[in-house]
Every structure is written in C-alpha cells, then in structure tokens.
Amino acid sequence: MLRVSPVLGSQTKRIRALNTPADLYIINRENVVWLVDYYRNAWPFDMVVVDESSSFKSHSAKRFKALASVGGYIDRMVELTGTPSPNGLDDLWAQVYLLDGGERLGKRYTQFRERYFQPDKRGADGMIYSYEVKPGSEGSILERISDICISMKAEDYLQLPDITYHEIPVELDSKASKAYYDMERVMVLALPEDEEEISVTSAAALSNKLLQLANGAVYDEDHSVHEVHGCKVEAFMELIESLQGKPALVFYNFQHDRTRILKALEKTGLRVRELKTTQDEDNWNARKIDILLTHPASSAYGLNLQQGGNHVIWFGLTWNYELYTQANKRLHRQGQEEKVIIHHLICSGTRDEDVMEALKRKDDVQSWVMESLKARIRRYRN
C-alpha cells in the first residue's frame, strides 16, 4: 500500500518525482550528489536505505562525502551489502561512518588507518603503497561495530540451489603461445630492476595487456585491435555446443572480446542478445534468449536473471572480487530452481591462472596481483 516515486531520468523528471507525494523515493547512487545539493540544508528524508552500500566504501568519493554531510538530518540509516569489505577491512570505515558519524571507528579515515593498520609495501622513495591489518585488529574492528551490524548467510535463510565452479583449461597453440610469452617477457623485463619500485599503475597495465592477449587480441596505442589467436573463442564455442541448447549468461572483459564472440555466434542459429535494456532482461527470463552477453561492470548489481538459465560463462576474468561475486549472483539467487554452474575459460600458463587464484583467495586481491607479477618477473630474470 506504499506510494513509490522513482527519482530517475532528466533533472526536470527527477524534480517532478521529488515533488510527487509518496512514502518512498528511490534514486540511483549516481544521483546522490545531485540530491544532496538539491536540498542542501532542507534535507527532508528521516530514513535512508543504501542498497549495495559497498559502492560507498571510498572515503574520498563524492557520493560518500555528500551523504555524510546530511547525516545529521537522518534519524535512521540502513545499509545492505553482500560484500561489505571486498578489498579488505579498510573498506568498512566509510560505510560505518555513514551509520554512526565516526563514533565507533573514528571521525577520520587516517585515525582509523593509524589505529588498526600498519605499512605494508613501500617504494624506493619510501612512499607507502599499501597497508596491512595489525595483528589482532580484525577482531577489534568487528567487535566495535557488532552492535550496529548483522551478518547473515544466504544459505541460512534462503533455499538456494547448489553452485558449482567449473574451470576449463584452454591450451594455446604454438603460434599463440610464442606471441604470449614473447610479449610477457619483453614487458616484464622493461619493468624496474628493483621489484619494490614497480608501481600499481604499471602492474595493472601489464596485467591488462596480458589478459587481452590470453583472450586472443590486443589494443595498440591507437586503440586499434590486433587479433592474435582464436584458441579461447574456439574453447568457448565448444562449451556452448556442450550445453546442448541450454541458455548461458556470458561475461566478457574487453570490447574486442565482445566483437569476436558475436562474430563466432553469427551463424549458429542461436538467439544471441546483448544485455542493454529491461526488455532484454524480461526476454531472458521468459527464455527467449539463448546467449545473453554483458560486461560485469554494467550488470553486476540489481538484476534478477535467475529465471532465464543456470549457466554463467566467464570468457574473460576480472580481478575485482566484488564484481565477480555480484555478477554470479544474477543467477544464483532466490527463485533459481536449478543447480548453477559457473564456467571459467582459463588459458594455461598465462595471467588468467593468476586471476583465478586471486578470486579463490577472496581477500587481499591487490596484494596477490603484485605478488604473482613479481613471481613472473623473477622467473624471467633468472
């Protein structure tokens, strides 16, 4: 019986929606800064519910600062997330600050970091690149927030079907293998001699290039695509064939992956669609689509796709554990009636294997990105 007003669309539509009498006003996180600026000191909402609150985990983000600035006008704040600290416990500070104004974990992020963390990785210039939790601090942090946070496992409260993780090794042919290892060797040896001097940016750029090559193509400096091999596309097509007509939700990593997948599926007679609109979502759930293609960053949150199928295929993997788990939850959620199978196409001996290992570790993915890269550097230099 509640009246709901979605505050979406153009600025004119959003203002009209805010001026429509209702009990609930629903807005997306991209417009939070605008909403706070629109009302300023006349904030009218006594209760705020933040879904997927981990999208407010950055203490330096505008959306966090905006919402924090009106905290004094909010009587009740509720936050919901399946991944409260996807990259480590320091992700908790901003989310808890929105709940209590800094009462439990400190008024400032720097105070929080000083109290519970210690420097981990440093550059040659002494600059600190990362922090690690001090011994015993995890228990202290969780104890301090235990009166306002509750943790529930889906399996304890919902009847969810089983989920199976399926790794499919993809062997590169000799030509592709030579191209991959030549590029890896050249790029790795171009990095600074001192492993500690390698910046997070250069490590990410190298990983990005190697993941592209494992998938079968690379961008050059002009963003032109150069196709190197079709090994992963072939493995993908074999997997699709083995599903014998069962629908699959496919996640790609790079735009050239999407282009090559669509080209390979052209003559199969399968009903292939890119996930762009709510109509695509409805058609998938009505079983009118065989292959639904999407990028995890654009579809990891808020979509209910559990009625359209039970197979997920990761053509290209992401380092982002939060995106990875949220994307898989599009099918593995309440209402799914079949066992969910998550397929991963992993090129043997490549950076793909490092990403898969990082996702299995769940926590501290960033450290593993650097450590696995340094292991490859040492191998080549030796």
Side-chain angles (χ1 to χ4, degrees):
M1 302 299 290
L2 294 172
R3 298 165 300 169
V4 180
S5 180
V7 186
L8 300 168
S10 66
Q11 180 167 308
T12 307
K13 285 182 179 174
R14 295 198 299 269
I15 291 172
R16 191 183 304 135
L18 288 172
N19 289 312
T20 301
D23 303 298
L24 296 172
Y25 294 86
I26 300 178
I27 195 164
N28 55 13
R29 57 180 176 263
E30 287 75 22
N31 279 319
V32 166
V33 176
W34 172 84
L35 184 69
V36 172
D37 192 51
Y38 177 73
Y39 281 113
R40 295 181 185 262
N41 293 327
W43 181 264
F45 308 109
D46 58 350
M47 179 175 179
V48 173
V49 179
V50 181
D51 193 18
E52 304 298 356
S53 67
S54 56
S55 60
F56 284 78
K57 67 181 182 285
S58 171
H59 65 281
S60 57
K62 288 179 181 176
R63 67 174 69 138
F64 161 72
K65 290 177 179 176
L67 199 52
S69 72
V70 292
Y73 301 102
I74 300 169
D75 297 331
R76 173 167 289 194
M77 171 79 77
V78 178
E79 295 179 14
L80 307 165
T81 176
T83 48
S85 51
N87 300 315
L89 285 170
D90 56 336
D91 285 345
L92 291 175
W93 182 84
Q95 294 173 82
V96 174
Y97 183 93
L98 290 177
L99 294 176
D100 69 359
E103 189 183 320
R104 288 164 182 78
L105 296 182
K107 297 281 184 190
R108 296 181 182 279
Y109 174 74
T110 47
Q111 293 173 339
F112 168 68
R113 192 174 62 189
E114 234 170 72
R115 181 170 185 178
Y116 296 107
F117 298 82
Q118 59 193 17
D120 180 21
K121 305 245 179 347
R122 292 179 186 267
D125 55 359
M127 186 183 231
I128 301 167
Y129 286 113
S130 63
Y131 287 82
E132 61 182 358
V133 183
K134 288 178 182 175
S137 282
E138 181 172 354
S140 301
I141 292 171
L142 298 181
E143 174 62 31
R144 287 194 74 84
I145 65 174
S146 62
D147 62 323
I148 57 167
C149 297
I150 185 167
S151 175
M152 301 188 293
K153 286 187 177 178
E155 54 266 31
D156 294 340
Y157 296 88
L158 303 174
Q159 286 297 105
L160 288 175
D162 290 341
I163 184 166
T164 300
Y165 295 91
H166 179 209
E167 294 177 29
I168 302 164
V170 178
E171 297 298 330
L172 295 176
D173 59 37
S174 56
K175 185 182 172 186
S177 187
K178 184 177 186 307
Y180 180 89
Y181 294 117
D182 283 352
M183 177 182 275
E184 183 177 61
R185 186 171 179 277
V186 168
M187 290 186 76
V188 160
L189 294 179
L191 291 170
E193 284 287 337
D194 185 350
E195 287 177 12
E196 297 305 318
E197 287 182 21
I198 298 166
S199 71
V200 175
T201 311
S202 59
L206 173 57
S207 291
N208 212 18
K209 191 70 91 174
L210 294 176
L211 288 175
Q212 286 182 55
L213 191 51
N215 288 358
V218 287
Y219 290 115
D220 62 19
E221 291 77 10
D222 303 319
H223 213 65
S224 298
V225 178
H226 299 272
E227 193 164 347
V228 180
H229 66 84
C231 303
K232 194 175 265 198
V233 171
E234 285 170 22
F236 170 76
M237 293 305 291
E238 284 174 18
L239 173 58
I240 294 296
E241 197 175 323
S242 73
L243 296 182
Q244 298 181 323
K246 296 211 79 177
L249 175 62
V250 179
F251 290 109
Y252 63 87
N253 198 356
F254 305 101
Q255 287 300 316
H256 57 59
D257 294 343
R258 169 185 151 277
T259 306
R260 288 177 298 118
I261 290 169
L262 287 171
K263 187 178 178 184
L265 290 167
E266 260 176 15
K267 297 174 183 174
T268 59
L270 294 169
R271 297 167 298 176
V272 181
R273 186 81 60 84
E274 290 183 68
L275 179 55
K276 293 178 178 176
T277 65
T278 51
Q279 188 59 55
D280 298 329
E281 186 181 347
D282 293 342
N283 287 348
W284 164 263
N285 282 323
R287 300 273 176 153
K288 294 178 181 176
I289 297 173
D290 298 314
I291 306 292
L292 187 61
L293 193 61
T294 185
H295 192 281
S298 62
S299 53
Y301 299 99
L303 294 177
N304 292 296
L305 302 173
Q306 67 272 28
Q307 291 164 346
N310 63 314
H311 288 272
V312 172
I313 299 174
W314 286 88
F315 181 86
L317 292 166
T318 172
W319 287 106
N320 190 316
Y321 178 70
E322 181 179 6
L323 272 189
Y324 172 73
T325 51
Q326 290 283 358
N328 290 337
K329 282 291 179 185
R330 295 316 96 210
L331 296 192
H332 190 242
R333 60 198 298 114
Q334 197 170 16
Q336 175 62 260
E337 294 176 355
E338 300 176 85
K339 176 196 278 190
V340 175
I341 303 172
I342 315 291
H343 307 274
H344 311 83
L345 294 168
I346 303 164
C347 277
S348 303
T350 72
R351 201 75 169 125
D352 273 0
E353 293 183 337
D354 294 339
V355 182
M356 196 68 242
E357 181 62 30
L359 294 172
K360 286 179 189 171
R361 287 169 174 253
K362 299 181 184 179
D363 59 337
D364 212 11
V365 170
Q366 301 304 321
S367 292
W368 178 247
V369 173
M370 295 300 284
E371 287 310 312
S372 57
L373 177 60
K374 287 174 182 176
R376 288 179 180 272
I377 292 170
R378 286 192 286 273
R379 191 181 71 207
Y380 278 109
R381 293 221 164 109
N382 290 341

